[in-house]
Amino acid sequence: MKIVFLDVKTIGEDIDLSAYDELGEVVKYSFSSSEEVPARVTDADVIILNKVPVNEQTIGTAKNLKLVCVTATGTNNLDKEYLDSKGIAWRNVAGYSTETVAQHTFAMLLFLLEKLRYYDDYVKEERYVNDVSFTHFAEHFTEIHGKTWGIIGLGAIGRRVAEIARAFGAKVIYSASGAPAQEGYEQVDFETLLTQSDIISVHAPLNEHTEGLINSKAFEKMKSSCIFLNLGRGPIVDEQALYNALVRNQIAAAGLDVLCKEPMSADNPLLKIKDSKRLLITPHIAWASVEARTHLMEIIHGQVKDFFA
């Protein structure tokens, strides 16, 4: 068996992949462009990838290919009809990142809510040295306790965020268009979620129902004190509309771990906002704790082993 990793750098050099050597010949490429893929998969039995497009143009030369493994939950980059037509199986991984994404959600919220960048700078710039008072709270902050937290996307991650938010004392509501209500959670319509929530976090997949869901009309309905977080998929949010909402003070702050284009494009309007109290962007890292990436590759190893067993 020949196993080809097409973008192994997306997994990280700190993750031990030696177990795959027991399954057969292993070839690893740091990254692969669409143009490079055909030559690299010609004699592969298994390809393992994250974002590389998989379609007739990229894998049409792969005469031995039997299994495609995606090191993620989303499979938008797979042409499933083509794979089915060629009898090529595919696998993705769900549930490996629930804890780390929930943790990152609260890391982002607390950074914005408590104005931590401001207070760290205040001390590092030595303004606290010999200050007149033992305390300094020029930038006001509030508690999660008693707030209404609106969740868009009540899958495993959304439910975990809801559980932690409740532990902080928040009231949790969620919106899911057309989906049946989930027992133990308060479902509301989308407009109610937008207008009532003090904190809104997105944990939904990208599909025809969610693409562009958070647009200018949505931001206009949010509270001016609302903190908005997107840890789902970038295209769920209209980034120009988010920029406008921030500069017009329609919302208090936003935290994003995902963007419409990744890596970030130089013309992204959000680059113009330098105030970290208003906008926090991390480079799609919420999923990537050491534990999550280790677990992810253990699951895929098992998928490959079981498929050929």
Side-chain angles (χ1 to χ4, degrees), residues 247-298:
V247 298
R248 295 170 184 170
N249 295 314
Q250 290 177 325
I251 61 173
L256 309 174
D257 184 58
V258 289
L259 297 167
C260 291
K261 184 178 180 182
E262 298 171 349
M264 194 175 193
S265 61
D267 61 352
N268 190 311
L270 297 173
L271 279 173
K272 292 182 278 188
I273 299 177
K274 305 301 182 183
D275 184 357
S276 294
K277 300 191 300 293
R278 302 297 311 285
L279 178 63
L280 171 64
I281 301 176
T282 52
H284 206 144
I285 62 167
W287 68 280
S289 68
V290 172
E291 293 86 351
R293 287 181 290 122
T294 299
H295 186 40
L296 168 68
M297 298 317 297
E298 288 172 347

Side-chain angles (χ1 to χ4, degrees), residues 28-195:
K28 299 171 185 169
Y29 296 101
S30 295
F31 296 101
S32 299
S33 67
S34 295
E35 293 73 25
E36 291 172 324
V37 173
R40 294 179 173 183
V41 302
T42 301
D43 56 351
D45 297 285
V46 180
I47 57 174
I48 299 175
L49 55 102
N50 191 315
K51 299 298 184 185
V52 176
V54 175
N55 51 47
E56 185 174 4
Q57 287 70 41
T58 56
I59 65 165
T61 61
K63 306 305 180 186
N64 300 329
L65 189 58
K66 303 171 184 68
L67 179 64
V68 175
C69 292
V70 182
T71 60
T73 303
T75 56
N76 303 70
N77 55 326
L78 302 187
D79 183 339
K80 299 184 182 72
E81 288 186 10
Y82 177 74
L83 292 174
D84 289 344
S85 72
K86 294 296 181 180
I88 300 170
W90 60 270
R91 301 286 187 271
N92 65 332
V93 184
Y96 68 95
S97 64
T98 299
E99 293 301 326
T100 186
V101 176
Q103 175 176 295
H104 196 71
T105 301
F106 282 86
M108 299 190 88
L109 173 67
L110 292 169
F111 179 92
L112 293 166
L113 183 68
E114 298 210 352
K115 316 292 176 58
L116 294 181
R117 175 62 182 270
Y118 169 83
Y119 286 112
D120 185 51
D121 286 346
Y122 181 80
V123 174
K124 298 284 176 59
E125 293 167 2
E126 300 186 15
R127 287 183 282 161
Y128 189 48
V129 175
N130 297 321
D131 204 348
V132 295
S133 174
F134 77 95
T135 187
H136 172 87
F137 43 85
E139 287 287 344
H140 301 162
F141 60 93
T142 58
E143 298 177 353
I144 299 173
H145 182 88
K147 296 285 191 297
T148 296
W149 188 313
I151 294 177
I152 299 172
L154 201 67
I157 294 171
R159 290 193 297 272
R160 184 65 174 130
V161 169
E163 180 182 358
I164 301 169
R166 286 171 170 171
F168 270 98
K171 173 188 177 183
V172 175
I173 58 176
Y174 82 98
S175 177
S177 177
Q182 295 195 40
E183 187 176 351
Y185 301 92
E186 182 180 349
Q187 184 176 14
V188 298
D189 61 75
F190 185 52
E191 183 167 346
T192 298
L193 183 141
L194 295 175
T195 58

